[in-house]
Amino acid sequence: MPGGLSEEEAAARLREEGPNELPRDRPRRFLASVWDVVKEPMILLLLAAAAIYLVLGDLTEALMLLPAVLVIVAIEIAQERKTERALGSLRELTSPRALVVRDGERRRVAGREVVRGDLLVLSEGDRVPADALLLDSRHLEADESLLTGESAPVRKLAAAAGAPARVDPRPGGDDSPFVFGGTVVVRGHGLAEVRATGPRSAIGRIGASLAELDAGRTPLQVEVTRVVKAFAAAALLVCGTVVALHVAVRGDLLQGLLAGVALAMSMLPEEFPVILTVFIALGAWRISRSRVLTRRLPAIEALGAATVLCVDKTGTLTENRMRVAALWESGAPHGAGDGPLPETVREVLELAVLASQRDPFDPMEQAIHALGASALGGARHAGWELVREYPLTRELLAMANVWRTPERVQVAAKGALEAIVALCRLEGDAAAAATARATELGAAGLRVLAVARAEHAAGGLPEDPRALPFVFGGLVALEDPVRRGVPEAVAECAGAGVRVVMVTGDAPGTARAIARRVGLPDGRICTGAELDTLDDDALRERVRGTAVFARVAPEQKLRLVQALRAAGEVVAMTGDGVNDAPALKAAHIGVAMGGRGTDVAREAAALVVTDDDFTSIVAAVRLGRRIYANLRRAMAYALAVHVPVAGLALLPLLLGWPLVLFPVHIVFIEVIVDPACSIAFEAEPAERDLMRRPPRSPSARLFDARFVTVALLQGASVLAAAVLAFRAGLHHTGADDAGRALAFAALVGGNVGLILVNRSWDRVLGVRAGPNLAAWIVTGGATLLAALVFAWPWLRQAFRFGPASWHDLALAAGAGLVSLAWFEGLKLLGPRWLRR
């Protein structure tokens, strides 16, 4: 064995070329996270208000505001850190241990320490740490499905001595001398020289390409940002005008600034982005209980609008493991699950078992042994001795095992049909029948092996198995089974108007068979070769009506996703391999399978399904729709509640009344608004027909005319009740602090009413939508907290409330609540535009 690199050479190359790692997102620093929260407008306004109170010498008011700042910052940071920890816990062994030869000795090193020029010792079950050239190979086969999408292992042959290797090796195909990082050795042994590590490897090049893709923001993010900017600009303009007028008329700059800050806080819709973030984060927590980890929160919102779900076959629709599906002798075929095996078919299975390794690692041989153990019994071959193996070669694509039994020497062979037909010297009708049956099984998406038997008299065995008198035994057909629940999940997607598109590297026949099994239309199959002949416009038209794409290369998957996006679709893409990563990042929602997926796929994806269950994707779509519906209700509530708050802050300044609201009152309302949006509306149950509706249009706006009109009318109703309560209190007592107390009671009552009526826009108080204990807890908590403010003298003084009887406070709160009765009436009698 060659001596390999020295430790000094390896260390020098490690310093020069860097570790053997894939590109990763860098974690954000703690201080950077804190700064991002602190610079939010509402936090800055709270800090400004606290500073003004300190200048005015009002320590009580300042102490009421500063803890609110700390609580908000702490909550945001805790949520962000929790998400980062969850992502970190998902990572499996990014860098597997590798057995290398250095200084003439075998040593185990971390995969990240493997360098170019290292000699790798590969055995069954090893994950290859880097791209390498095979110098020696003993029947080595590798599972390259994570790179190619092909579930069947491929043979590897050592490079001929002195022969130049291909300059640009690519995974896939038998008899290549290259092994690739991230793949798994499923059979045999070998010695390989590392040629490329880290970002220079095949897996690394795909990972590096992800940085060049911009997934973009979701439509809802763009719309909310636009609305917030418009509101913020209007708020700043109005506040600046109010401060200037206050100084000009009353000559008090600090009080003018304080009034302007209060008005800005009341008008600034800072809840919208907060609702979007917190609401989706709580949705991520909810979906995580179904073993789906959210890596990028906005993807959950986009799931509700998904119109196309692109899926890879291997490991997504199928289990990426082999199973014996059928056995065939010269008579009729027998399905593996069709009851007890007939005797002739039992002989076919027995030959397949005898022609396999005793303790196999190859998935196909494992499947053969599994059926053999259940159908043949474990003691059938007790006492048989394996005396020789004829390995598979390039000249003969079949392998044979020679067994010595108490009675005779028996040889069992299995391999490609053509090789077994040649071994058996099969001709005429017998060969035609076997070929026809193998073709039929292959067209059904099965991988077909042929088996044969021979007997040998006592004496020496020939060097070439072709010298043995083989007799054709039959065929063994294996399949990569469809995952449990996938056909039902595909049917549910169809009912929900979500088109499922299978994109695979498999042959068209295999793809068509899997499509039929899972319920996809297979009338039009487009191949990778055909894709190369289509320009962007033609491809955009072709993707509209095609459900199966076969023999697709990784770069073509990316192009397909981009074509679907250009056609106006909201694209979700599932996958687990490195070849899926660019398409995962280019899609609106990338969904990686985490159980066996690569790190680079998880880095690219927005969602990671930790149990690799396709049905979890459908559950995520269902949850995404529920989240959007509830998010719309929460946004309507937040918009409506701003109207009375802003009105009570602005009207006194315009009409010369005493100030009604101060920053502390607005903070109190925020204390109600935040849990209402993040708990009450988020917990609202989904409608039963949620997955029988078409996806919402990608161009549909959240803040459409109907939405804004209803929310503004709701808010105006509560504002009218609060103004009436304020004027009644002012008229009854002549004290502005008494009027302020009644106005605040009406505002709290109206706030509770807004929560209840917006639970549903077509069900009275949402009573038929299902139980929502959270909504009642929030509304009850808001009522009790307001009662505490009115009852505790210190808080009553801090809120600047004057004396008011509980009877008057109850009437004011009831007025705010009853002001929304018209909306409940509309739910029963209103026009269709409200029910839509």
Side-chain angles (χ1 to χ4, degrees), residues 775-800:
W776 295 106
I777 290 176
V778 170
T779 53
T783 303
L784 291 176
L785 189 58
L788 178 63
V789 171
F790 289 118
W792 191 359
W794 186 84
L795 283 176
R796 191 167 62 243
Q797 182 180 0
F799 276 71
R800 304 187 186 189

Side-chain angles (χ1 to χ4, degrees), residues 30 46 134-135 163 175 227 283 314 333 382 404 575 581 691 716 734 750:
F30 177 75
L46 285 173
L134 275 176
L135 304 180
D175 302 335
V227 170
T314 304
R404 180 177 286 114
M691 289 298 283

Side-chain angles (χ1 to χ4, degrees), residues 417-492:
L417 175 65
E418 297 80 3
I420 297 299
V421 166
L423 275 179
C424 300
R425 301 172 181 84
L426 207 62
E427 298 178 347
D429 293 341
T435 301
R437 185 56 186 163
T439 302
E440 182 180 343
L441 292 170
L446 305 180
R447 185 175 177 89
V448 181
L449 297 175
V451 296
R453 63 179 179 273
E455 292 188 4
H456 183 69
L461 290 164
E463 291 300 317
D464 192 332
R466 285 173 286 197
L468 294 169
F470 279 103
V471 177
F472 188 79
L475 302 176
V476 179
L478 300 102
E479 67 174 349
D480 185 2
V482 171
R483 285 185 175 274
R484 183 179 181 181
V486 166
E488 294 79 7
V490 171
E492 186 174 6

Side-chain angles (χ1 to χ4, degrees), residues 37 40 71-81 274 277-278:
V37 177
E40 291 180 0
V71 169
I72 295 174
V73 172
I75 291 174
E76 297 251 3
I77 296 300
Q79 177 62 44
E80 181 176 325
R81 293 301 174 186
V274 172
T277 301
V278 175

